[in-house]
């Protein structure tokens, strides 16, 4: 009898402990997401350093322009200062350098800015290009008058397990829907002018996936695809699945317009409703399990040769960013950086 009471007390204690742990984790989880939301919406700076918003960028708002290039920086800034690391800046510079006739927009979801640019040599290097523009965007306003307006207001996005990453996923389709042009990830080096490529394209990453690191959508045919992507997001958004809302979206849309799930067949067809799925070598020649090949000198020749016919080099920062790289390293990434982002290289000691 006594033993049994002791036991059930123990059980109660454990149950209580478990419950407490659950409640605590829940509070921490909710708070974390609340922070992400706040960092996008609630922090404003009264000292005039905030970037102008997209809505104030007359160049962007006035016309739909196929010669737009978009980058989105969706990380949380709690100090309101524009930051980019050398690799991100290299992506932006290479896009602007290889496409002087295009306008390159770097859009921040956190309200960031700077008083003056003299303390940020990397940002100065970028802003020395007349076709690079930095703007802040307010998510609610950005989605207004699009199929995602109501969804964005519902704040479903902030329940995601990967808010920053999923915000970036959503914005790429939204920007192309609103303005048309080309979306690029911040962990690429652009190796070619987009003018030399058929319009309306994305790159195959494997036999099963079309990836979303570069997507070009132009003209009415492209807008139709953008519309399908945005509507796929509305229907299939899943905050618990990392890949579902980026590559998942363009892959499902390609399956529909190409009438096959076989990515090799999509590539062979070359034209699904005026949309082109490019072969793996075009954009993801070095796939993520091999990302180390960008950063080790024994792979220099192999890597450069495999990128010879590529439009971009995608360097998989999610897997590779932890290793700082000296600017004098004799590796493929630095070799490309010196050619395609010389101004960022000139002010960077490490990448
Ligand atoms: C973002 O836009 C919404 C809707 O217009 C507005 O209520 C909100 O105050 C804006 N947030 C910021 C930080 O400007
Ligand atoms: C701009 O930078 C210079 C040099 O660091 C500094 O002296 C000046 O106070 C800054 N201006 C503002 C408005 O912060
Ligand atoms: C859009 O561009 C593609 C590729 O250049 C072209 O084949 C297609 O006819 C165009 N579609 C429209 C509706 O203009
Ligand atoms: C995909 O299509 C290619 C080319 O038609 C074919 O060789 C391959 O076996 C197909 N793969 C699958 C999984 O069906
Ligand atoms: C790489 O290529 C260069 C010139 O193309 C050659 O001199 C060098 O020996 C090659 N290195 C390796 C490790 O193959
Ligand atoms: C790329 O290919 C061209 C020929 O198409 C060749 O001349 C050049 O050496 C190649 N470059 C590298 C780095 O392999």
């Amino acid at each position: 009898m006594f033993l049994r009471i002791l036991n059930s007390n123990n059980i109660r204690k454990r149950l209580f402990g478990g419950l407490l742990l659950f409640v605590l984790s829940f509070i921490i989880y909710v708070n974390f997401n609340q922070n992400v939301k706040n960092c996008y919406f609630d922090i404003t700076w009264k000292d005039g350093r905030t970037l102008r918003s997209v809505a104030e960028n007359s160049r962007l708002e006035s016309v739909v322009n196929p010669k737009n290039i978009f980058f989105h920086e969706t990380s949380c800034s709690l100090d309101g200062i524009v930051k980019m690391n050398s690799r991100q800046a290299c992506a932006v510079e290479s896009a602007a350098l290889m496409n002087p006739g295009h306008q390159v927009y770097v859009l921040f979801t956190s309200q960031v800015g700077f008083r003056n640019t003299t303390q940020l040599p990397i940002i100065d290097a970028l802003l020395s290009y007349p076709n690079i523009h930095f703007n802040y965007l307010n998510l609610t306003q950005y989605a207004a008058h699009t199929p995602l307006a109501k969804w964005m207001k519902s704040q479903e996005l902030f329940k995601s397990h990967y808010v920053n990453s999923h915000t970036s996923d959503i914005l790429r389709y939204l920007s192309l829907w609103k303005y048309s042009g080309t979306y690029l990830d911040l962990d690429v080096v652009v190796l070619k002018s987009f003018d030399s490529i058929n319009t309306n394209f994305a790159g195959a990453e494997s036999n099963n996936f079309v990836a979303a690191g570069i997507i070009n959508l132009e003209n009415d045919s492209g807008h139709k695809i953008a519309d399908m992507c945005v509507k796929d997001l509305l229907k299939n958004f899943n905050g618990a699945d990392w890949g579902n809302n980026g590559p998942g979206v363009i892959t499902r849309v390609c399956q529909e317009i190409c009438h096959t799930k076989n990515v090799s067949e999509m590539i062979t067809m070359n034209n699904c409703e005026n949309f082109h799925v490019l072969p793996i070598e075009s954009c993801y020649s070095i796939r993520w399990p091999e990302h180390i090949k960008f950063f080790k000198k024994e792979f220099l020749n192999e890597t450069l040769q495999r990128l010879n016919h590529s439009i971009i080099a995608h360097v998989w920062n999610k897997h590779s960013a932890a290793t700082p790289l000296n600017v004098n390293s004799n590796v493929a990434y630095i070799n490309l950086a010196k050619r395609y982002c010389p101004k960022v290289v000139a002010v960077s000691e490490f990448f």
Side-chain angles (χ1 to χ4, degrees):
M1 183 63 191
F2 179 71
L3 213 71
R4 219 190 290 158
I5 289 172
L6 192 77
N7 266 346
S8 76
N9 257 346
N10 253 347
I11 289 173
R12 239 175 258 157
K13 265 190 204 154
R14 276 194 205 164
L15 272 179
F16 181 72
L19 191 69
L20 196 70
L21 199 69
F22 175 77
V23 169
L24 275 179
S25 335
F26 186 72
I27 289 172
I28 290 169
Y29 170 75
V30 167
N31 254 338
F32 172 73
N33 277 343
Q34 199 63 32
N35 280 341
V36 173
K37 186 181 160 224
N38 286 349
C39 90
Y40 289 168
F41 283 103
D42 291 350
I43 299 175
T44 53
W45 302 94
K46 303 288 179 216
D47 56 7
R49 71 180 154 185
T50 303
L51 290 181
R52 279 143 57 90
S53 79
V54 168
E56 295 167 294
N57 191 327
S58 52
R59 189 197 289 277
L60 188 53
E61 282 293 336
S62 58
V63 274
V64 168
N65 182 358
K67 291 193 187 302
N68 292 326
I69 296 176
F70 292 99
F71 291 95
H72 297 122
E73 219 311 35
T74 58
S75 63
C76 266
S77 165
L78 295 174
D79 65 2
I81 302 291
V82 168
K83 285 189 202 77
M84 297 197 104
N85 62 37
S86 298
R87 290 196 198 171
Q88 294 176 314
C90 187
V92 175
E93 182 181 358
S94 63
L97 183 62
M98 297 313 288
N99 296 282
H102 288 55
Q103 300 301 323
V104 179
Y105 297 96
V106 186
L107 306 182
F108 294 82
T109 26
S110 285
Q111 281 213 337
V112 289
F114 32 71
R115 285 197 185 81
N116 67 43
T117 59
T118 54
Q119 294 132 336
L120 299 158
I122 287 179
I123 306 291
D124 276 349
L126 295 181
L127 293 178
S128 71
Y129 284 83
N131 62 333
I132 295 180
H133 315 279
F134 283 27
N135 285 111
Y136 152 77
L137 71 80
N138 173 326
L139 279 172
T140 321
Q141 286 169 11
Y142 203 64
H145 315 296
T146 78
L148 291 180
K150 210 171 128 202
W151 182 85
M152 193 62 89
K153 272 196 183 155
S154 78
Q155 309 207 334
E156 177 77 18
L157 173 60
F158 302 110
K159 295 182 202 143
S160 159
H161 298 202
Y162 312 94
V163 179
N164 301 119
S165 176
H166 285 164
T167 302
S168 156
D169 288 339
I170 285 156
L171 283 177
R172 70 194 65 188
Y173 298 111
L174 201 51
S175 289
L176 295 178
W177 189 94
K178 281 168 71 96
Y179 304 117
S180 89
T182 308
Y183 164 80
L184 285 169
D185 274 352
L186 276 162
D187 55 351
V188 304
V189 182
V190 176
L191 311 175
K192 267 192 191 160
S193 157
F194 300 153
D195 294 334
S196 59
I197 308 157
N198 272 332
T199 55
N200 300 326
F201 65 84
E205 183 191 335
S206 67
N207 291 327
N208 302 312
F209 277 98
V210 181
I214 176 170
I215 305 173
N216 170 276
L217 296 173
E218 299 179 12
N219 76 13
D220 287 354
S221 306
H223 186 73
K224 211 177 127 206
I225 310 285
D227 204 50
M228 290 175 81
C229 291
V230 165
K231 286 175 179 154
D232 179 277
L233 265 174
L234 266 184
K235 193 166 141 215
N236 296 319
F237 180 82
N238 179 353
D241 182 340
W242 186 79
N244 181 67
N245 316 309
V249 170
I250 191 70
T251 300
R252 282 189 294 272
V253 167
C254 287
Q255 289 171 351
E256 194 179 334
I257 59 178
C258 301
H259 307 289
T260 174
K261 294 205 165 183
N262 185 329
V263 173
S264 328
E265 284 179 3
M266 296 176 190
I267 296 167
T268 314
M269 274 182 227
N270 184 37
N271 189 336
C272 307
E273 303 192 15
N274 292 327
F275 187 81
H276 310 275
V277 177
L278 304 180
I280 295 174
E281 313 82 73
S282 294
C283 309
Y284 309 98
S285 196
I286 309 292
R287 294 182 49 205
W288 71 264
E290 297 183 289
H291 62 81
I292 200 72
K293 294 195 169 173
F294 285 108
F295 307 105
K296 294 263 188 221
K297 67 171 184 286
E298 59 267 37
F299 302 111
L300 174 64
N301 284 5
E302 176 198 333
T303 305
L304 291 182
Q305 202 183 331
R306 282 171 63 184
L307 291 166
N308 199 341
H309 299 291
S310 297
I311 303 163
I312 57 167
H314 191 281
V315 305
W316 311 104
N317 268 356
K318 187 168 181 285
H319 306 278
S320 67
T323 334
L325 196 60
N326 191 288
V327 70
N328 296 316
S329 316
N330 192 23
V331 301
Y333 179 80
I334 295 292
N335 188 294
L336 297 174
K338 283 179 174 163
R339 270 188 275 167
Y340 297 100
C341 59
K343 291 192 183 185
V344 171
V345 166
V347 295
S348 301
E349 204 177 331
F350 290 97
F351 270 83

